[in-house]
Amino acid sequence: MPDGRVLVVGTTSDYIDLISRRYPERALFVTDALERRKARELPPSPGNEVLVDLRQSDAVYQSLVAHLSEYHLKLNGVACYDCESMALAADLAGRFGLAYPSVESIHLLRDKFRTKQIWQERGVNCPRAVLVRSERDVLRFADSVGYPIVLKPLTGSGSELTFRCDDRKQCLKHYSQVKSGLGKLAGSRMYSIADAEVAAGTMQPAIVTEKLVEGPEYSCDFIIEGDTVRIIRIAGKIRSCRLTFGTTLAYLLPARLPDGLDTSHLAGKLRDASKALGIDRAVCMVDFIMHNKRPCFLELTPRPGGDCLPPLIMRSCGLDMLGVALDFAESRPVSAPPEAEWTRLVGARMFARQEGMISRLDTGAVQAHPAVVECWLKRSPGHVVTLPPEDYESWLLGHVIFKPSSLHYHLLERESEAIVSRLAVDFETRHEQKLRGLLSPHRRAAEAADTAA
C-alpha cells in the first residue's frame, strides 16, 4: 500500500529542515531547484523531495506524478507556507482532487486592489484603495483622500516596496521607486500577477495606492471551516522609526485586544473577510489595524503567519504552527491551548544596519540578557547584506524571543531595540568591500557623488 504524504509546495529550506526533523516521513516537498542549490541545510531523503522549476506548473505536475509512482507514495493533503507558491498549491490540489482554496480565490487575495475592492463591496472594513499607472493617478488620489497615503505593488509580501507618502514630493519619489523596483523583480514568482498585467498590454506596472489607516496593528492566525472560525493567536505588532515603513520590529504574544473588541466579534469579522474572497476552509493569517474602534483589514492569506511567529508561538504555548498546517491538510483535529496557558513573550527581529559582507556574528551578549529565552540566526559570516529598497530579505539576520518587562508598546519598542542591539555584527572594511564589488550600485553612486563634491 502506498505511503501517505502531505504535499508541501514551494517552501524554504529552513522550513523543510524543521518539518523533516519534527515530522519524519510525513511530508513530500515540491521545492524550487534554485532554493535547494542555495540552501545551508541538508536536503530530506530523495523520496521526500521533488526538485523542479516552480514557474512551470505542467512540468511540476508531471514530475510529481512520476515521483509518486517511483516511490509508491500517495497524497493525503496539500499545505503551503509561502505566498508566492499558493497559486501552484491550488493548481496541484485541483489536479489531485485535494482540499485547498481555489486558484480563483488565490489570485483574488494575491491582488491587493481586487481584495479591497471585494471587501468594500461586501461591507468588510478596509482602507480605500485604487490602482494607479502614472504619477498623475497618484496625485489625483492623494488630492481626493488627503495625505498620508501608501504606495505598494499590486502583489508582494510584507513591506517590500511599500512607502508612506506625506506630500506631493514623496508621492513622485516613491512612485518612481516602486516602478523601478518592480522592473528589477520582473519574472519573480512573488510578482506574477503584476507581470501578467504588463504582459496584457498595459505596459505600465499596476501599483496600488491606499489611504493610510493609523492605529495599533495586529497579526492573527485562525482556522475557518464553513461558518466556524477558531482564532489560534493574536499578536500585537511593534514598529520602529529606525526601520523602513511597514517593517515589523517585534511581535507581542498574546496581545490584549483593545476595549470594544472581543474574540467572538473578531471571529465574525474574520469569517466575513474570508468568505468574501472565497475562502471557507483554510488555516489563515490576517493583518488588521484597530481604527475608530473597528478592525480594518489589510491583508488575508491562507497560510500560517511567518517571520518569527512560529517559534514565538511554540515558546509561548507549545503549539507548532508548521505541524498545525500538516494536521489541517490531513483533516486531523487541531486545537490551541486556552490563552490563560500562554506565556506572554516578545519576538524581535534582528536587522543589519549597513551593507556589505558580514565577517563576524556573535550572539553572546544577546543570550546573556536575563529576559532572553531564544536567539536564532539565519545568517552566517560571508553573508552579503543589501539594504532596502534594493533588497528586503538579506538585511534580516534572525530573531530573539524574550520576556517583556512592560506591555506598553513604546516601552516594548525601546526594550526590543536594546536587546537586538546587543548582537555583535562586524563587516569587512569599506576598502575590502570595494575590492570585492559588494557595495550596491546605489551606495557606490552616493559615494562617488560625495567624492566629487
Side-chain angles (χ1 to χ4, degrees):
M1 179 178 294
D3 288 336
R5 296 286 191 275
V6 175
L7 184 66
V8 177
V9 181
T11 194
T12 53
S13 60
D14 56 336
Y15 270 31
I16 292 171
D17 181 61
L18 287 173
I19 294 169
S20 296
R21 288 189 284 107
R22 293 175 185 171
Y23 308 99
E25 306 302 311
R26 180 124 179 246
L28 172 60
F29 302 96
V30 175
T31 307
D32 192 90
L34 179 61
E35 175 69 21
R36 177 52 60 200
R37 285 198 297 270
K38 67 181 184 180
R40 295 189 304 170
E41 300 82 4
L42 292 174
S45 62
N48 289 332
E49 186 173 54
V50 181
L51 296 178
V52 284
D53 181 349
L54 296 186
R55 296 171 296 182
Q56 308 295 328
S57 59
D58 288 340
V60 173
Y61 173 72
Q62 292 165 7
S63 296
L64 187 53
V65 169
H67 187 92
L68 293 171
S69 175
E70 178 182 357
Y71 288 93
H72 306 288
L73 302 175
K74 67 175 182 179
L75 299 180
N76 295 335
V78 176
C80 185
Y81 302 93
D82 302 89
C83 288
E84 63 268 35
S85 298
M86 291 188 300
L88 177 59
D91 176 72
L92 294 174
R95 296 188 193 220
F96 285 100
L98 299 169
Y100 194 80
S102 69
V103 173
E104 293 76 18
S105 289
I106 297 299
H107 280 299
L108 177 60
L109 61 86
R110 293 285 293 130
D111 183 324
K112 296 179 182 180
F113 170 66
R114 286 287 292 142
T115 291
K116 292 181 174 63
Q117 189 179 50
I118 293 294
W119 277 347
Q120 289 171 355
E121 292 172 358
R122 302 290 182 87
V124 176
N125 191 32
C126 64
R128 181 179 171 186
V130 299
L131 279 181
V132 294
R133 299 185 187 277
S134 68
E135 295 174 344
R136 181 180 299 177
D137 289 345
V138 178
L139 296 176
R140 184 183 298 117
F141 178 77
D143 289 340
S144 67
V145 301
Y147 293 102
I149 64 169
V150 177
L151 282 170
K152 60 178 66 173
L154 182 65
T155 59
S157 182
S159 61
E160 188 166 15
L161 294 175
T162 299
F163 298 95
R164 170 179 172 147
C165 305
D166 290 295
D167 54 39
R168 178 186 178 93
K169 181 178 180 180
Q170 289 183 355
C171 283
L172 299 177
K173 173 186 176 182
H174 295 322
Y175 176 79
S176 177
Q177 286 179 299
V178 179
K179 183 178 175 181
S180 173
L182 288 174
K184 296 175 183 177
L185 293 167
S188 166
R189 291 191 302 124
M190 182 68 78
Y191 295 92
S192 58
I193 296 176
D195 288 346
E197 287 270 335
V198 175
T202 61
M203 300 308 294
Q204 295 294 331
I207 297 170
V208 178
T209 182
E210 301 174 358
K211 174 62 179 173
L212 177 68
V213 175
E214 298 186 279
E217 187 171 349
Y218 299 86
S219 171
C220 172
D221 281 339
F222 67 96
I223 292 174
I224 180 169
E225 293 183 278
D227 289 329
T228 301
V229 168
R230 289 178 288 157
I231 295 175
I232 298 175
R233 58 89 192 167
I234 302 172
K237 291 190 175 186
I238 301 165
R239 302 293 190 184
S240 170
C241 60
R242 296 176 181 269
L243 301 175
T244 58
F245 174 77
T247 301
T248 301
L249 168 64
Y251 298 90
L252 171 66
L253 181 74
R256 290 179 175 176
L257 286 175
D259 292 341
L261 180 66
D262 57 29
T263 53
S264 61
H265 178 72
L266 178 59
K269 298 298 184 183
L270 293 172
R271 180 183 61 246
D272 295 343
S274 301
K275 286 186 169 293
L277 302 176
I279 304 296
D280 59 11
R281 186 186 185 278
V283 178
C284 295
M285 184 278 295
V286 69
D287 292 325
F288 67 94
I289 288 175
M290 284 302 297
H291 181 71
N292 292 334
K293 300 183 179 180
R294 300 170 61 201
C296 181
F297 292 106
L298 303 178
E299 181 178 0
L300 186 151
T301 185
R303 63 166 177 80
D307 290 337
C308 61
L309 283 165
L312 180 61
I313 294 167
M314 182 172 282
R315 285 284 186 174
S316 180
C317 72
L319 183 66
D320 181 9
M321 290 304 299
L322 305 186
V324 165
L326 299 181
D327 288 340
F328 188 80
E330 292 184 303
S331 297
R332 298 189 185 191
V334 175
S335 61
E339 186 176 321
E341 297 180 11
W342 294 53
T343 300
R344 185 162 275 115
L345 296 170
V346 169
R349 305 163 77 202
M350 298 185 290
F351 295 93
R353 298 297 172 88
Q354 70 178 70
E355 295 184 327
M357 178 179 284
I358 294 175
S359 59
R360 183 178 74 99
L361 280 169
D362 187 346
T363 62
V366 179
Q367 294 174 318
H369 193 287
V372 168
V373 299
E374 175 179 309
C375 182
W376 176 80
L377 289 176
K378 67 181 299 182
R379 311 298 184 190
S380 57
H383 172 69
V384 178
V385 174
T386 303
L387 296 177
E390 292 186 48
D391 189 334
Y392 286 80
E393 174 61 25
S394 69
W395 72 324
L396 178 59
L397 305 181
H399 70 256
V400 57
I401 297 173
F402 66 91
K403 296 178 181 178
S405 60
S406 170
L407 298 183
H408 296 289
Y409 276 51
H410 68 284
L411 296 178
L412 287 174
E413 177 188 346
R414 289 163 54 183
E415 189 171 17
S416 298
E417 289 277 12
I419 290 176
V420 301
S421 68
R422 297 167 73 99
L423 176 68
V425 187
D426 291 340
F427 289 83
E428 289 192 345
T429 66
R430 184 74 64 186
H431 177 67
E432 291 170 327
Q433 292 178 36
K434 285 182 177 180
L435 290 177
R436 290 179 178 269
L438 294 177
L439 291 183
S440 69
H442 174 76
R443 181 63 62 84
R444 289 198 300 269
E447 290 196 352
D450 290 343
T451 302

